[in-house]
Amino acid sequence: MKKLTLLLTVLLTLSANKCSDKGAADMSSLFDTKWVFSALNGSDLKLPEGAEQPWLQLAGDRLQGFGGCNQLMGDYTLEGTKLNFGNLGSTKKYCENVQSTEDAIKTALGQVDGYAL
């Protein structure tokens, strides 16, 4: 139940930077869409002024993204509504003001086990 709650928190708090005219039933909107984090673990994301909003994108068979300081990358597997992120990595900069947010995002992504649109 904890993973499902975390999954829903992560996915429901992501907002797409583009909308599909076909609505939620169009699964292609999951791919090649920049999903921007607006909240994490039930709380609005609070970033320092001028900080870039964290985001992720499923491009081909790879995860691309930005955690607030570092570029994110990894693999994902998708089978029906089961979604897992694997081999999650990032560049290695340290940004004091956003590091805790980025670490929380990477932890949450590692616990995702499915999605719903």
Side-chain angles (χ1 to χ4, degrees), residues 63-104:
L63 163 78
Q64 303 176 59
F66 178 72
C69 179
N70 289 286
Q71 299 300 313
L72 303 176
M73 69 282 295
D75 301 324
Y76 72 90
T77 56
L78 179 65
E79 294 178 16
T81 59
K82 294 179 190 255
L83 175 64
N84 293 294
F85 299 109
N87 299 318
L88 190 59
S90 68
T91 53
K92 301 294 182 189
K93 293 188 286 182
Y94 178 79
C95 302
E96 185 175 350
N97 294 338
V98 294
Q99 198 64 50
S100 61
T101 299
E102 180 168 291
D103 292 344

Side-chain angles (χ1 to χ4, degrees), residues 5-69:
T5 303
L6 179 62
L7 162 73
L8 292 175
T9 299
V10 170
L11 290 178
L12 291 177
T13 59
L14 292 173
S15 61
N17 71 341
K18 64 181 179 179
C19 297
S20 170
D21 293 334
K22 298 177 186 176
D26 181 7
M27 297 307 295
S28 66
S29 67
L30 183 63
F31 304 102
D32 297 319
T33 297
K34 186 176 179 181
W35 295 93
V36 178
F37 284 89
S38 61
L40 187 62
N41 298 325
S43 298
D44 289 344
L45 217 52
K46 296 192 183 352
L47 297 169
E49 187 174 326
E52 182 181 344
Q53 199 77 12
W55 58 272
L56 65 85
Q57 183 173 14
L58 304 180
D61 62 351
R62 302 281 299 159
L63 163 78
Q64 303 176 59
F66 178 72
C69 179

Side-chain angles (χ1 to χ4, degrees), residues 98-114:
V98 294
Q99 198 64 50
S100 61
T101 299
E102 180 168 291
D103 292 344
I105 287 170
K106 291 191 300 189
T107 297
L109 289 174
Q111 296 174 345
V112 169
D113 61 4

